[in-house]
Amino acid sequence: DAMEIDKEETGEKQDISGYKGVWVLAEQRGNKLLDVSFELCSEGRKLADELGTSLSVIVLGSDVKEEAKELFAYKADNVYIVEDEELKDYRTETYTAVICDLINEFKPEIVLLGATHNGRDLGPRISARLDTGLTADCTKLEIDKERNILLQTRPAFGGNLMATIICPDHRPQMSTVRPGVMEKAEPDHSKTGEIEEIEVEINAENVNSQITDSGKIINLKSDLSDIDIFTTIKEIVKEAKASVNLEDADIIVSGGRGVGSPENFELIEELATVLGGEVGASRAVVDEGWIEKPHQVGQTGKTVKPKVYFACGISGAIQHKAGMENSNLIIAINTDQDAPIFEICDYGLVGDLKKIVPLLSKAFAEL
Ligand code: FAD
């Protein structure tokens, strides 16, 4: 039990009594808030209401005030912004230092952040520095009213069971949530509020945060001198906009982990080209980096309804089916005759896709 070991090692138990309120760490790119921030704000509202506490959203950036106002429409009680040229783009050291300062000062009981690339980098840093727990990739968050504790549920063992994780003795309770998992509420633009600005002074040696909260000025100093490398961002290269349009495609040929390697994806692409269709993918192969995210079909990818959907080397996990089961005709190719995809397909081919897909390409090309 990690918690027991922790207690044995340090011999101390954290005093968690002063921790109040739900926090969302919003994420911006180019001063525009990501959708996941609004999703977490909507979810955070529910948790705060259950606990009878307030919801605060924190935005770090260089010119975020206008954009941050929108958070009130998602029923944030407080919106704190920290603006500085140094915070324009995400950097692990500065973001960690400023956020840890804020958490130590305001003591929120729950902190939520998106399981984006940045969130996955930032979350563990913060939790380690604050000596608290973090549950990654939560799919459900609830309050156990009896214990006033956050129940953080996430898939475990490859999605075969759902594990509910708690952080009983440390605060804040921290969770990351993937984009698209929580529902974004309808914005209510009649709700407005005053944004609170927090001033920071950042240099390579330290971060001085001056928190102006209701006229009160608190000086914070985070020491960055123990960090060997202070990252400088030289260039930000935007991902080329994918031309894939899965939603409107009549035919989609999707590949999953069964494709075996990124090179083998050419087989999938070839069949899609012959049929004049688009290439889809399961999340497993997107996570592997075999194909880009815009190709992903499923709960956290695209929802598609083509005339024909080929599922090649895809097991048929519930999250994949959620995005494609309404296709008119489903053709599955899989070596495992018990694969769940066969339960929803119209035609099932049991066999090696590396043999079957080229045969299909050849046959359709000859038509
Ligand atoms: P696997 O499950 O590993 O299946 C590979 C299949 O290939 C197997 O059935 C195997 O029999 C077959 N195979 C192996 N070799 C061959 C061969 N030579 N020829 C033919 N068949 C072969 N998944 C999504 O796809 N989309 C989502 O949007 C999505 N969102 C998710 C959201 C959440 C919150 C969570 C928890 C999970 C999500 N997932 C999603 C992941 C999902 O649970 C599965 O892990 C994923 O779909 C599995 O991908 P796969 O079928 O390619 O791989």
Side-chain angles (χ1 to χ4, degrees):
D1 179 6
M3 213 56 88
E4 287 305 316
I5 295 166
D6 181 24
K7 263 188 258 165
E8 267 168 34
E9 274 179 4
T10 63
E12 0 172 310
K13 206 171 159 185
Q14 189 192 11
D15 174 15
I16 62 172
S17 59
Y19 285 77
K20 290 272 170 314
V22 177
W23 270 25
V24 170
L25 302 181
E27 186 174 337
Q28 54 82 19
R29 299 265 163 82
N31 292 331
K32 261 205 93 43
L33 288 172
L34 303 189
D35 248 6
V36 67
S37 305
F38 296 111
E39 291 162 15
L40 290 182
C41 192
S42 310
E43 185 64 20
R45 179 72 270 160
K46 289 186 222 157
L47 300 176
D49 288 345
E50 288 252 330
L51 285 164
T53 186
S54 62
L55 169 67
S56 306
V57 186
I58 322 301
V59 193
L60 272 58
S62 67
D63 184 15
V64 291
K65 196 167 181 181
E66 272 311 304
E67 181 75 5
K69 282 184 186 157
E70 181 71 4
L71 291 160
F72 288 116
Y74 291 84
K75 306 207 176 106
D77 297 308
N78 312 301
V79 177
Y80 295 104
I81 61 169
V82 191
E83 289 185 318
D84 191 283
E85 207 33 48
E86 290 289 337
L87 300 171
K88 182 165 173 271
D89 301 310
Y90 173 74
R91 271 190 313 180
T92 312
E93 302 92 339
T94 39
Y95 270 58
T96 305
V98 171
I99 291 167
C100 287
D101 276 352
L102 294 174
I103 291 176
N104 281 330
E105 182 60 33
F106 287 95
K107 300 198 181 331
E109 60 195 301
I110 293 174
V111 173
L112 309 178
L113 60 168
T116 57
H117 289 297
N118 294 353
R120 284 174 187 202
D121 181 62
L122 183 61
R125 282 285 181 127
I126 298 171
S127 69
R129 194 171 288 191
L130 299 175
D131 193 20
T132 187
L134 172 91
T135 307
D137 292 341
C138 295
T139 52
K140 195 160 140 200
L141 297 170
E142 291 166 299
I143 301 294
D144 174 344
K145 288 269 231 187
E146 239 164 67
R147 291 183 291 174
N148 264 356
I149 214 168
L150 181 65
L151 304 177
Q152 309 165 93
T153 302
R154 56 154 295 156
F157 298 105
N160 288 320
L161 64 86
M162 301 303 280
T164 298
I165 294 166
I166 57 168
C167 178
D169 299 330
H170 290 70
R171 291 292 177 273
Q173 303 161 89
M174 292 184 61
S175 323
T176 66
V177 179
R178 286 193 179 154
V181 171
M182 297 299 175
E183 207 173 317
K184 183 167 130 181
E186 276 299 313
D188 175 358
H189 289 102
S190 68
K191 299 257 183 304
T192 54
E194 279 301 311
I195 288 184
E196 301 200 42
E197 294 177 43
I198 295 167
E199 285 170 27
V200 290
E201 194 187 300
I202 300 165
N203 58 49
E205 294 299 304
N206 59 46
V207 176
N208 295 319
S209 320
Q210 282 215 320
I211 298 192
T212 319
D213 178 24
S214 322
K216 190 170 57 157
I217 295 184
I218 307 145
N219 276 310
L220 301 170
K221 216 176 216 176
S222 359
D223 192 3
L224 291 186
S225 52
D226 59 333
I227 296 169
D228 293 338
I229 308 155
F230 195 75
T231 321
T232 35
I233 296 172
K234 293 200 164 156
E235 191 189 0
I236 292 179
V237 183
K238 281 217 174 100
E239 190 181 42
K241 199 145 178 60
S243 58
V244 53
N245 185 0
L246 288 177
E247 287 98 331
D248 297 330
D250 280 342
I251 298 175
I252 296 175
V253 184
S254 282
R257 211 194 311 263
V259 171
S261 69
E263 294 75 40
N264 287 349
F265 240 87
E266 279 175 24
L267 303 176
I268 305 294
E269 282 158 14
E270 194 190 350
L271 181 56
T273 308
V274 168
L275 295 170
E278 290 278 8
V279 174
S282 70
R283 196 175 94 185
V285 298
V286 171
D287 285 352
E288 290 285 350
W290 297 357
I291 194 163
E292 297 83 39
K293 169 90 182 171
H295 292 272
Q296 185 182 316
V297 173
Q299 183 187 318
T300 43
K302 305 267 169 61
T303 302
V304 299
K305 203 177 166 226
K307 290 188 180 141
V308 189
Y309 187 90
F310 285 86
C312 312
I314 292 178
S315 58
I318 187 156
Q319 296 88 353
H320 187 81
K321 288 196 286 195
M324 47 65 74
E325 62 193 343
N326 291 327
S327 305
N328 283 358
L329 187 81
I330 298 171
I331 301 169
I333 304 167
N334 201 303
T335 40
D336 175 8
Q337 63 177 13
D338 296 324
I341 194 75
F342 286 134
E343 289 161 20
I344 60 153
C345 73
D346 298 284
Y347 295 101
L349 303 170
V350 179
D352 184 352
L353 71 90
K354 292 192 281 304
K355 292 191 184 127
I356 296 172
V357 172
L359 289 175
L360 289 175
S361 297
K362 190 164 177 284
F364 284 119
E366 285 168 4
L367 277 182

